[in-house]
mmCIF file of all heavy atoms in Angstrom:
data_model
loop_
_atom_site.group_PDB
_atom_site.id
_atom_site.type_symbol
_atom_site.label_atom_id
_atom_site.label_comp_id
_atom_site.label_asym_id
_atom_site.label_seq_id
_atom_site.Cartn_x
_atom_site.Cartn_y
_atom_site.Cartn_z
ATOM 1 N N GLU A 800 -194.969 194.238 102.090
ATOM 2 C CA GLU A 800 -195.151 192.783 102.145
ATOM 3 C C GLU A 800 -194.452 192.006 101.047
ATOM 4 O O GLU A 800 -193.679 191.093 101.318
ATOM 5 C CB GLU A 800 -196.647 192.445 102.166
ATOM 6 C CG GLU A 800 -197.312 192.828 103.447
ATOM 7 C CD GLU A 800 -198.774 192.422 103.515
ATOM 8 O OE1 GLU A 800 -199.182 191.486 102.796
ATOM 9 O OE2 GLU A 800 -199.493 193.036 104.310
ATOM 10 N N GLU A 801 -194.753 192.312 99.810
ATOM 11 C CA GLU A 801 -194.199 191.512 98.709
ATOM 12 C C GLU A 801 -192.683 191.630 98.624
ATOM 13 O O GLU A 801 -192.003 190.658 98.294
ATOM 14 C CB GLU A 801 -194.857 191.890 97.381
ATOM 15 C CG GLU A 801 -196.320 191.485 97.297
ATOM 16 C CD GLU A 801 -196.581 190.021 97.595
ATOM 17 O OE1 GLU A 801 -195.883 189.149 97.035
ATOM 18 O OE2 GLU A 801 -197.490 189.731 98.397
ATOM 19 N N LEU A 802 -192.164 192.808 98.923
ATOM 20 C CA LEU A 802 -190.713 192.971 98.873
ATOM 21 C C LEU A 802 -190.032 192.250 100.031
ATOM 22 O O LEU A 802 -188.926 191.729 99.866
ATOM 23 C CB LEU A 802 -190.353 194.458 98.881
ATOM 24 C CG LEU A 802 -190.750 195.222 97.611
ATOM 25 C CD1 LEU A 802 -190.522 196.714 97.790
ATOM 26 C CD2 LEU A 802 -189.988 194.707 96.402
ATOM 27 N N ILE A 803 -190.685 192.188 101.181
ATOM 28 C CA ILE A 803 -190.103 191.487 102.328
ATOM 29 C C ILE A 803 -190.009 189.986 102.056
ATOM 30 O O ILE A 803 -188.995 189.362 102.320
ATOM 31 C CB ILE A 803 -190.926 191.738 103.621
ATOM 32 C CG1 ILE A 803 -190.730 193.180 104.091
ATOM 33 C CG2 ILE A 803 -190.528 190.763 104.716
ATOM 34 C CD1 ILE A 803 -191.656 193.557 105.252
ATOM 35 N N ILE A 804 -191.080 189.412 101.531
ATOM 36 C CA ILE A 804 -191.092 187.956 101.375
ATOM 37 C C ILE A 804 -190.380 187.476 100.115
ATOM 38 O O ILE A 804 -190.221 186.277 99.915
ATOM 39 C CB ILE A 804 -192.514 187.358 101.432
ATOM 40 C CG1 ILE A 804 -193.375 187.895 100.314
ATOM 41 C CG2 ILE A 804 -193.128 187.581 102.789
ATOM 42 C CD1 ILE A 804 -194.698 187.185 100.184
ATOM 43 N N ASN A 805 -189.950 188.387 99.287
ATOM 44 C CA ASN A 805 -189.140 188.035 98.120
ATOM 45 C C ASN A 805 -187.727 188.535 98.378
ATOM 46 O O ASN A 805 -187.331 189.603 97.918
ATOM 47 C CB ASN A 805 -189.742 188.644 96.851
ATOM 48 C CG ASN A 805 -191.057 187.998 96.509
ATOM 49 O OD1 ASN A 805 -191.109 186.816 96.206
ATOM 50 N ND2 ASN A 805 -192.130 188.755 96.607
ATOM 51 N N TRP A 806 -186.978 187.734 99.122
ATOM 52 C CA TRP A 806 -185.691 188.170 99.646
ATOM 53 C C TRP A 806 -184.712 188.643 98.572
ATOM 54 O O TRP A 806 -183.839 189.447 98.843
ATOM 55 C CB TRP A 806 -185.050 187.089 100.519
ATOM 56 C CG TRP A 806 -184.699 185.824 99.814
ATOM 57 C CD1 TRP A 806 -185.481 184.710 99.695
ATOM 58 C CD2 TRP A 806 -183.489 185.538 99.125
ATOM 59 N NE1 TRP A 806 -184.831 183.748 98.966
ATOM 60 C CE2 TRP A 806 -183.602 184.227 98.594
ATOM 61 C CE3 TRP A 806 -182.319 186.243 98.890
ATOM 62 C CZ2 TRP A 806 -182.597 183.625 97.866
ATOM 63 C CZ3 TRP A 806 -181.310 185.643 98.148
ATOM 64 C CH2 TRP A 806 -181.462 184.343 97.647
ATOM 65 N N THR A 807 -184.862 188.182 97.335
ATOM 66 C CA THR A 807 -183.930 188.608 96.292
ATOM 67 C C THR A 807 -184.106 190.074 95.909
ATOM 68 O O THR A 807 -183.192 190.675 95.344
ATOM 69 C CB THR A 807 -184.076 187.739 95.023
ATOM 70 O OG1 THR A 807 -185.417 187.821 94.561
ATOM 71 C CG2 THR A 807 -183.692 186.295 95.297
ATOM 72 N N VAL A 808 -185.267 190.642 96.233
ATOM 73 C CA VAL A 808 -185.507 192.055 95.904
ATOM 74 C C VAL A 808 -185.807 192.897 97.143
ATOM 75 O O VAL A 808 -186.136 194.070 97.017
ATOM 76 C CB VAL A 808 -186.643 192.209 94.869
ATOM 77 C CG1 VAL A 808 -186.252 191.612 93.528
ATOM 78 C CG2 VAL A 808 -187.944 191.621 95.392
ATOM 79 N N SER A 809 -185.669 192.325 98.323
ATOM 80 C CA SER A 809 -186.009 193.067 99.543
ATOM 81 C C SER A 809 -185.103 194.277 99.765
ATOM 82 O O SER A 809 -185.485 195.218 100.463
ATOM 83 C CB SER A 809 -186.001 192.151 100.768
ATOM 84 O OG SER A 809 -184.720 191.619 100.993
ATOM 85 N N TYR A 810 -183.936 194.296 99.134
ATOM 86 C CA TYR A 810 -183.036 195.455 99.251
ATOM 87 C C TYR A 810 -183.707 196.732 98.729
ATOM 88 O O TYR A 810 -183.329 197.847 99.083
ATOM 89 C CB TYR A 810 -181.733 195.202 98.483
ATOM 90 C CG TYR A 810 -181.914 195.147 96.984
ATOM 91 C CD1 TYR A 810 -181.818 196.309 96.215
ATOM 92 C CD2 TYR A 810 -182.198 193.949 96.344
ATOM 93 C CE1 TYR A 810 -182.015 196.268 94.846
ATOM 94 C CE2 TYR A 810 -182.394 193.903 94.982
ATOM 95 C CZ TYR A 810 -182.307 195.064 94.234
ATOM 96 O OH TYR A 810 -182.510 195.022 92.879
ATOM 97 N N MET A 811 -184.715 196.596 97.885
ATOM 98 C CA MET A 811 -185.406 197.749 97.324
ATOM 99 C C MET A 811 -186.130 198.566 98.395
ATOM 100 O O MET A 811 -186.477 199.727 98.163
ATOM 101 C CB MET A 811 -186.373 197.302 96.227
ATOM 102 C CG MET A 811 -185.652 196.720 95.015
ATOM 103 S SD MET A 811 -186.754 195.984 93.791
ATOM 104 C CE MET A 811 -187.712 197.391 93.287
ATOM 105 N N LEU A 812 -186.336 197.964 99.563
ATOM 106 C CA LEU A 812 -186.983 198.690 100.664
ATOM 107 C C LEU A 812 -186.045 199.722 101.296
ATOM 108 O O LEU A 812 -186.493 200.547 102.092
ATOM 109 C CB LEU A 812 -187.473 197.704 101.728
ATOM 110 C CG LEU A 812 -188.646 196.832 101.319
ATOM 111 C CD1 LEU A 812 -188.852 195.702 102.319
ATOM 112 C CD2 LEU A 812 -189.904 197.659 101.176
ATOM 113 N N ASN A 813 -184.778 199.692 100.953
ATOM 114 C CA ASN A 813 -183.789 200.630 101.500
ATOM 115 C C ASN A 813 -183.875 201.988 100.799
ATOM 116 O O ASN A 813 -182.874 202.524 100.334
ATOM 117 C CB ASN A 813 -182.372 200.069 101.373
ATOM 118 C CG ASN A 813 -182.008 199.232 102.559
ATOM 119 O OD1 ASN A 813 -182.037 199.715 103.681
ATOM 120 N ND2 ASN A 813 -181.672 197.982 102.303
ATOM 121 N N GLN A 814 -185.062 202.525 100.741
ATOM 122 C CA GLN A 814 -185.296 203.835 100.150
ATOM 123 C C GLN A 814 -186.070 204.675 101.160
ATOM 124 O O GLN A 814 -186.842 204.145 101.965
ATOM 125 C CB GLN A 814 -186.096 203.711 98.858
ATOM 126 C CG GLN A 814 -185.411 202.873 97.783
ATOM 127 C CD GLN A 814 -186.297 202.709 96.577
ATOM 128 O OE1 GLN A 814 -186.866 203.672 96.079
ATOM 129 N NE2 GLN A 814 -186.428 201.477 96.107
ATOM 130 N N ASN A 815 -185.888 205.979 101.088
ATOM 131 C CA ASN A 815 -186.538 206.864 102.054
ATOM 132 C C ASN A 815 -188.054 206.717 102.087
ATOM 133 O O ASN A 815 -188.653 206.832 103.149
ATOM 134 C CB ASN A 815 -186.159 208.326 101.800
ATOM 135 C CG ASN A 815 -184.808 208.656 102.397
ATOM 136 O OD1 ASN A 815 -184.351 207.990 103.320
ATOM 137 N ND2 ASN A 815 -184.164 209.672 101.859
ATOM 138 N N GLU A 816 -188.681 206.461 100.952
ATOM 139 C CA GLU A 816 -190.139 206.339 100.946
ATOM 140 C C GLU A 816 -190.628 205.199 101.856
ATOM 141 O O GLU A 816 -191.730 205.254 102.374
ATOM 142 C CB GLU A 816 -190.673 206.161 99.529
ATOM 143 C CG GLU A 816 -190.353 204.812 98.898
ATOM 144 C CD GLU A 816 -190.937 204.665 97.507
ATOM 145 O OE1 GLU A 816 -192.168 204.526 97.370
ATOM 146 O OE2 GLU A 816 -190.128 204.686 96.559
ATOM 147 N N TYR A 817 -189.800 204.184 102.037
ATOM 148 C CA TYR A 817 -190.141 203.083 102.934
ATOM 149 C C TYR A 817 -189.595 203.314 104.343
ATOM 150 O O TYR A 817 -190.273 203.030 105.329
ATOM 151 C CB TYR A 817 -189.600 201.753 102.395
ATOM 152 C CG TYR A 817 -190.196 201.332 101.079
ATOM 153 C CD1 TYR A 817 -189.455 201.408 99.907
ATOM 154 C CD2 TYR A 817 -191.498 200.867 101.003
ATOM 155 C CE1 TYR A 817 -189.999 201.020 98.691
ATOM 156 C CE2 TYR A 817 -192.052 200.483 99.789
ATOM 157 C CZ TYR A 817 -191.294 200.568 98.637
ATOM 158 O OH TYR A 817 -191.848 200.192 97.449
ATOM 159 N N LEU A 818 -188.367 203.780 104.425
ATOM 160 C CA LEU A 818 -187.709 203.898 105.729
ATOM 161 C C LEU A 818 -188.245 205.062 106.570
ATOM 162 O O LEU A 818 -188.275 204.958 107.801
ATOM 163 C CB LEU A 818 -186.198 204.021 105.547
ATOM 164 C CG LEU A 818 -185.507 202.773 104.997
ATOM 165 C CD1 LEU A 818 -184.031 203.035 104.791
ATOM 166 C CD2 LEU A 818 -185.728 201.576 105.901
ATOM 167 N N THR A 819 -188.697 206.136 105.951
ATOM 168 C CA THR A 819 -189.187 207.287 106.716
ATOM 169 C C THR A 819 -190.380 206.926 107.594
ATOM 170 O O THR A 819 -190.369 207.222 108.800
ATOM 171 C CB THR A 819 -189.494 208.472 105.778
ATOM 172 O OG1 THR A 819 -188.287 208.845 105.118
ATOM 173 C CG2 THR A 819 -190.048 209.659 106.548
ATOM 174 N N PRO A 820 -191.417 206.275 107.074
ATOM 175 C CA PRO A 820 -192.519 205.909 107.969
ATOM 176 C C PRO A 820 -192.108 204.894 109.042
ATOM 177 O O PRO A 820 -192.618 204.923 110.159
ATOM 178 C CB PRO A 820 -193.595 205.335 107.046
ATOM 179 C CG PRO A 820 -193.000 205.212 105.703
ATOM 180 C CD PRO A 820 -191.721 205.963 105.674
ATOM 181 N N VAL A 821 -191.172 204.022 108.713
ATOM 182 C CA VAL A 821 -190.688 203.047 109.702
ATOM 183 C C VAL A 821 -189.973 203.782 110.826
ATOM 184 O O VAL A 821 -190.214 203.508 112.015
ATOM 185 C CB VAL A 821 -189.773 201.988 109.050
ATOM 186 C CG1 VAL A 821 -189.138 201.087 110.111
ATOM 187 C CG2 VAL A 821 -190.549 201.149 108.042
ATOM 188 N N ARG A 822 -189.119 204.734 110.474
ATOM 189 C CA ARG A 822 -188.417 205.530 111.498
ATOM 190 C C ARG A 822 -189.414 206.303 112.365
ATOM 191 O O ARG A 822 -189.220 206.424 113.576
ATOM 192 C CB ARG A 822 -187.433 206.483 110.841
ATOM 193 C CG ARG A 822 -186.179 205.826 110.345
ATOM 194 C CD ARG A 822 -185.170 206.884 109.877
ATOM 195 N NE ARG A 822 -184.168 206.308 109.044
ATOM 196 C CZ ARG A 822 -184.081 206.466 107.709
ATOM 197 N NH1 ARG A 822 -184.921 207.236 107.075
ATOM 198 N NH2 ARG A 822 -183.114 205.875 107.032
ATOM 199 N N ASP A 823 -190.448 206.827 111.734
ATOM 200 C CA ASP A 823 -191.474 207.553 112.487
ATOM 201 C C ASP A 823 -192.121 206.633 113.523
ATOM 202 O O ASP A 823 -192.298 207.022 114.680
ATOM 203 C CB ASP A 823 -192.540 208.127 111.543
ATOM 204 C CG ASP A 823 -193.578 208.944 112.277
ATOM 205 O OD1 ASP A 823 -193.195 209.852 113.046
ATOM 206 O OD2 ASP A 823 -194.787 208.659 112.101
ATOM 207 N N MET A 824 -192.440 205.422 113.128
ATOM 208 C CA MET A 824 -193.057 204.456 114.054
ATOM 209 C C MET A 824 -192.075 204.046 115.148
ATOM 210 O O MET A 824 -192.467 203.814 116.290
ATOM 211 C CB MET A 824 -193.558 203.229 113.295
ATOM 212 C CG MET A 824 -194.692 203.525 112.329
ATOM 213 S SD MET A 824 -196.169 204.188 113.117
ATOM 214 C CE MET A 824 -196.907 202.695 113.736
ATOM 215 N N MET A 825 -190.796 203.966 114.814
ATOM 216 C CA MET A 825 -189.791 203.624 115.818
ATOM 217 C C MET A 825 -189.723 204.710 116.898
ATOM 218 O O MET A 825 -189.461 204.417 118.065
ATOM 219 C CB MET A 825 -188.411 203.460 115.163
ATOM 220 C CG MET A 825 -188.281 202.212 114.327
ATOM 221 S SD MET A 825 -186.805 202.184 113.260
ATOM 222 C CE MET A 825 -185.493 202.471 114.411
ATOM 223 N N GLY A 826 -189.998 205.938 116.512
ATOM 224 C CA GLY A 826 -189.947 207.048 117.451
ATOM 225 C C GLY A 826 -191.118 207.109 118.410
ATOM 226 O O GLY A 826 -191.101 207.899 119.367
ATOM 227 N N LYS A 827 -192.107 206.269 118.236
ATOM 228 C CA LYS A 827 -193.303 206.287 119.097
ATOM 229 C C LYS A 827 -193.042 205.668 120.459
ATOM 230 O O LYS A 827 -193.780 205.876 121.397
ATOM 231 C CB LYS A 827 -194.475 205.555 118.427
ATOM 232 C CG LYS A 827 -194.835 206.051 117.051
ATOM 233 C CD LYS A 827 -195.457 207.406 117.056
ATOM 234 C CE LYS A 827 -195.899 207.780 115.639
ATOM 235 N NZ LYS A 827 -196.150 209.190 115.501
ATOM 236 N N GLY A 828 -191.992 204.848 120.559
ATOM 237 C CA GLY A 828 -191.651 204.231 121.833
ATOM 238 C C GLY A 828 -192.452 202.973 122.125
ATOM 239 O O GLY A 828 -193.376 202.600 121.403
ATOM 240 N N GLY A 829 -192.080 202.295 123.195
ATOM 241 C CA GLY A 829 -192.786 201.109 123.674
ATOM 242 C C GLY A 829 -192.681 199.909 122.745
ATOM 243 O O GLY A 829 -191.765 199.804 121.925
ATOM 244 N N GLU A 830 -193.643 199.000 122.881
ATOM 245 C CA GLU A 830 -193.664 197.774 122.079
ATOM 246 C C GLU A 830 -193.805 198.090 120.599
ATOM 247 O O GLU A 830 -193.252 197.389 119.752
ATOM 248 C CB GLU A 830 -194.804 196.851 122.533
ATOM 249 C CG GLU A 830 -194.923 195.549 121.765
ATOM 250 C CD GLU A 830 -193.653 194.681 121.792
ATOM 251 O OE1 GLU A 830 -192.895 194.735 122.769
ATOM 252 O OE2 GLU A 830 -193.419 193.956 120.801
ATOM 253 N N LEU A 831 -194.520 199.151 120.295
ATOM 254 C CA LEU A 831 -194.669 199.575 118.902
ATOM 255 C C LEU A 831 -193.295 199.854 118.287
ATOM 256 O O LEU A 831 -193.007 199.417 117.175
ATOM 257 C CB LEU A 831 -195.551 200.826 118.839
ATOM 258 C CG LEU A 831 -196.010 201.278 117.476
ATOM 259 C CD1 LEU A 831 -196.938 200.231 116.867
ATOM 260 C CD2 LEU A 831 -196.733 202.610 117.593
ATOM 261 N N ALA A 832 -192.462 200.551 119.013
ATOM 262 C CA ALA A 832 -191.117 200.864 118.519
ATOM 263 C C ALA A 832 -190.314 199.591 118.292
ATOM 264 O O ALA A 832 -189.588 199.487 117.295
ATOM 265 C CB ALA A 832 -190.391 201.778 119.504
ATOM 266 N N HIS A 833 -190.463 198.611 119.173
ATOM 267 C CA HIS A 833 -189.726 197.350 119.014
ATOM 268 C C HIS A 833 -190.111 196.633 117.729
ATOM 269 O O HIS A 833 -189.258 196.084 117.033
ATOM 270 C CB HIS A 833 -189.941 196.425 120.221
ATOM 271 C CG HIS A 833 -189.320 196.926 121.481
ATOM 272 N ND1 HIS A 833 -187.967 197.125 121.617
ATOM 273 C CD2 HIS A 833 -189.880 197.274 122.654
ATOM 274 C CE1 HIS A 833 -187.711 197.577 122.830
ATOM 275 N NE2 HIS A 833 -188.851 197.682 123.480
ATOM 276 N N LYS A 834 -191.394 196.632 117.424
ATOM 277 C CA LYS A 834 -191.842 195.989 116.185
ATOM 278 C C LYS A 834 -191.193 196.646 114.971
ATOM 279 O O LYS A 834 -190.701 195.970 114.065
ATOM 280 C CB LYS A 834 -193.366 196.065 116.064
ATOM 281 C CG LYS A 834 -194.104 195.179 117.027
ATOM 282 C CD LYS A 834 -195.594 195.286 116.838
ATOM 283 C CE LYS A 834 -196.318 194.358 117.808
ATOM 284 N NZ LYS A 834 -197.756 194.319 117.542
ATOM 285 N N PHE A 835 -191.209 197.974 114.974
ATOM 286 C CA PHE A 835 -190.675 198.673 113.809
ATOM 287 C C PHE A 835 -189.152 198.701 113.792
ATOM 288 O O PHE A 835 -188.562 198.827 112.718
ATOM 289 C CB PHE A 835 -191.308 200.060 113.689
ATOM 290 C CG PHE A 835 -192.722 199.955 113.192
ATOM 291 C CD1 PHE A 835 -193.782 199.857 114.070
ATOM 292 C CD2 PHE A 835 -192.979 199.878 111.835
ATOM 293 C CE1 PHE A 835 -195.084 199.709 113.609
ATOM 294 C CE2 PHE A 835 -194.271 199.728 111.352
ATOM 295 C CZ PHE A 835 -195.333 199.648 112.238
ATOM 296 N N GLU A 836 -188.515 198.523 114.932
ATOM 297 C CA GLU A 836 -187.062 198.326 114.951
ATOM 298 C C GLU A 836 -186.711 197.004 114.268
ATOM 299 O O GLU A 836 -185.727 196.916 113.528
ATOM 300 C CB GLU A 836 -186.532 198.347 116.382
ATOM 301 C CG GLU A 836 -186.508 199.729 116.994
ATOM 302 C CD GLU A 836 -186.280 199.727 118.498
ATOM 303 O OE1 GLU A 836 -186.036 198.643 119.092
ATOM 304 O OE2 GLU A 836 -186.355 200.822 119.088
ATOM 305 N N ARG A 837 -187.530 195.991 114.514
ATOM 306 C CA ARG A 837 -187.324 194.706 113.827
ATOM 307 C C ARG A 837 -187.450 194.887 112.314
ATOM 308 O O ARG A 837 -186.636 194.375 111.544
ATOM 309 C CB ARG A 837 -188.357 193.675 114.283
ATOM 310 C CG ARG A 837 -188.159 193.119 115.637
ATOM 311 C CD ARG A 837 -189.226 192.052 115.928
ATOM 312 N NE ARG A 837 -189.181 191.676 117.298
ATOM 313 C CZ ARG A 837 -190.175 191.865 118.177
ATOM 314 N NH1 ARG A 837 -191.307 192.406 117.789
ATOM 315 N NH2 ARG A 837 -190.036 191.484 119.428
ATOM 316 N N LEU A 838 -188.502 195.594 111.911
ATOM 317 C CA LEU A 838 -188.726 195.829 110.487
ATOM 318 C C LEU A 838 -187.565 196.628 109.896
ATOM 319 O O LEU A 838 -187.059 196.297 108.808
ATOM 320 C CB LEU A 838 -190.045 196.572 110.267
ATOM 321 C CG LEU A 838 -190.410 196.914 108.822
ATOM 322 C CD1 LEU A 838 -190.494 195.660 107.962
ATOM 323 C CD2 LEU A 838 -191.725 197.695 108.784
ATOM 324 N N TYR A 839 -187.114 197.636 110.611
ATOM 325 C CA TYR A 839 -185.996 198.463 110.155
ATOM 326 C C TYR A 839 -184.730 197.606 109.984
ATOM 327 O O TYR A 839 -184.044 197.701 108.953
ATOM 328 C CB TYR A 839 -185.753 199.594 111.155
ATOM 329 C CG TYR A 839 -184.710 200.582 110.719
ATOM 330 C CD1 TYR A 839 -185.032 201.603 109.834
ATOM 331 C CD2 TYR A 839 -183.406 200.493 111.189
ATOM 332 C CE1 TYR A 839 -184.069 202.525 109.426
ATOM 333 C CE2 TYR A 839 -182.443 201.402 110.790
ATOM 334 C CZ TYR A 839 -182.777 202.418 109.909
ATOM 335 O OH TYR A 839 -181.813 203.317 109.506
ATOM 336 N N ASP A 840 -184.439 196.779 110.972
ATOM 337 C CA ASP A 840 -183.269 195.905 110.880
ATOM 338 C C ASP A 840 -183.405 194.909 109.725
ATOM 339 O O ASP A 840 -182.443 194.669 108.993
ATOM 340 C CB ASP A 840 -183.044 195.148 112.189
ATOM 341 C CG ASP A 840 -182.533 196.036 113.309
ATOM 342 O OD1 ASP A 840 -182.084 197.169 113.028
ATOM 343 O OD2 ASP A 840 -182.597 195.598 114.474
ATOM 344 N N LEU A 841 -184.590 194.352 109.568
ATOM 345 C CA LEU A 841 -184.842 193.414 108.477
ATOM 346 C C LEU A 841 -184.540 194.075 107.136
ATOM 347 O O LEU A 841 -183.891 193.482 106.268
ATOM 348 C CB LEU A 841 -186.297 192.936 108.516
ATOM 349 C CG LEU A 841 -186.701 191.938 107.448
ATOM 350 C CD1 LEU A 841 -186.276 190.547 107.854
ATOM 351 C CD2 LEU A 841 -188.194 191.992 107.216
ATOM 352 N N ILE A 842 -184.986 195.321 106.992
ATOM 353 C CA ILE A 842 -184.796 196.043 105.733
ATOM 354 C C ILE A 842 -183.346 196.471 105.562
ATOM 355 O O ILE A 842 -182.714 196.157 104.551
ATOM 356 C CB ILE A 842 -185.719 197.281 105.685
ATOM 357 C CG1 ILE A 842 -187.188 196.852 105.587
ATOM 358 C CG2 ILE A 842 -185.347 198.183 104.508
ATOM 359 C CD1 ILE A 842 -188.176 197.989 105.799
ATOM 360 N N THR A 843 -182.822 197.203 106.522
ATOM 361 C CA THR A 843 -181.499 197.819 106.335
ATOM 362 C C THR A 843 -180.354 196.819 106.341
ATOM 363 O O THR A 843 -179.320 197.058 105.721
ATOM 364 C CB THR A 843 -181.241 198.911 107.397
ATOM 365 O OG1 THR A 843 -181.291 198.332 108.702
ATOM 366 C CG2 THR A 843 -182.241 200.044 107.264
ATOM 367 N N GLN A 844 -180.545 195.699 107.026
ATOM 368 C CA GLN A 844 -179.507 194.669 107.056
ATOM 369 C C GLN A 844 -179.778 193.544 106.055
ATOM 370 O O GLN A 844 -179.031 192.573 106.000
ATOM 371 C CB GLN A 844 -179.379 194.083 108.471
ATOM 372 C CG GLN A 844 -179.043 195.117 109.527
ATOM 373 C CD GLN A 844 -177.741 195.832 109.235
ATOM 374 O OE1 GLN A 844 -176.744 195.212 108.896
ATOM 375 N NE2 GLN A 844 -177.748 197.155 109.362
ATOM 376 N N ASN A 845 -180.883 193.677 105.318
ATOM 377 C CA ASN A 845 -181.259 192.696 104.297
ATOM 378 C C ASN A 845 -181.320 191.278 104.881
ATOM 379 O O ASN A 845 -180.706 190.345 104.366
ATOM 380 C CB ASN A 845 -180.295 192.766 103.104
ATOM 381 C CG ASN A 845 -180.895 192.202 101.844
ATOM 382 O OD1 ASN A 845 -182.119 192.143 101.696
ATOM 383 N ND2 ASN A 845 -180.063 191.786 100.918
ATOM 384 N N TYR A 846 -182.096 191.143 105.964
ATOM 385 C CA TYR A 846 -182.178 189.878 106.690
ATOM 386 C C TYR A 846 -183.258 188.915 106.171
ATOM 387 O O TYR A 846 -183.452 187.844 106.738
ATOM 388 C CB TYR A 846 -182.462 190.132 108.171
ATOM 389 C CG TYR A 846 -181.277 190.607 108.978
ATOM 390 C CD1 TYR A 846 -181.458 191.529 110.007
ATOM 391 C CD2 TYR A 846 -179.993 190.129 108.746
ATOM 392 C CE1 TYR A 846 -180.387 191.957 110.773
ATOM 393 C CE2 TYR A 846 -178.915 190.556 109.504
ATOM 394 C CZ TYR A 846 -179.124 191.474 110.514
ATOM 395 O OH TYR A 846 -178.070 191.900 111.266
ATOM 396 N N SER A 847 -183.983 189.267 105.134
ATOM 397 C CA SER A 847 -185.067 188.387 104.680
ATOM 398 C C SER A 847 -184.577 186.975 104.386
ATOM 399 O O SER A 847 -185.234 185.994 104.725
ATOM 400 C CB SER A 847 -185.773 188.974 103.461
ATOM 401 O OG SER A 847 -186.577 190.057 103.832
#
């Protein structure tokens, strides 16, 4: 949360400790996967 809403430091989420659980949720499929795909894109593309 705090790293997402503070866009100047949101790049810090680009670490395995954050991305691994997000990838796991993306693998669940369905609407759940779509939510976490958004989160993944927000993090990896630094879209905050």
Side-chain angles (χ1 to χ4, degrees):
E800 290 184 23
E801 292 307 312
L802 292 172
I803 289 172
I804 62 171
N805 292 296
W806 64 268
T807 58
V808 294
S809 63
Y810 68 89
M811 294 172 63
L812 290 168
N813 272 302
Q814 300 176 48
N815 279 337
E816 70 178 288
Y817 296 107
L818 293 177
T819 299
V821 173
R822 284 188 198 106
D823 183 52
M824 295 299 280
M825 288 167 54
K827 305 290 185 197
E830 180 58 30
L831 190 65
H833 292 298
K834 289 181 179 187
F835 286 92
E836 286 167 5
R837 286 183 190 117
L838 179 58
Y839 186 81
D840 288 345
L841 181 82
I842 292 169
T843 60
Q844 301 301 314
N845 202 23
Y846 284 144
S847 286

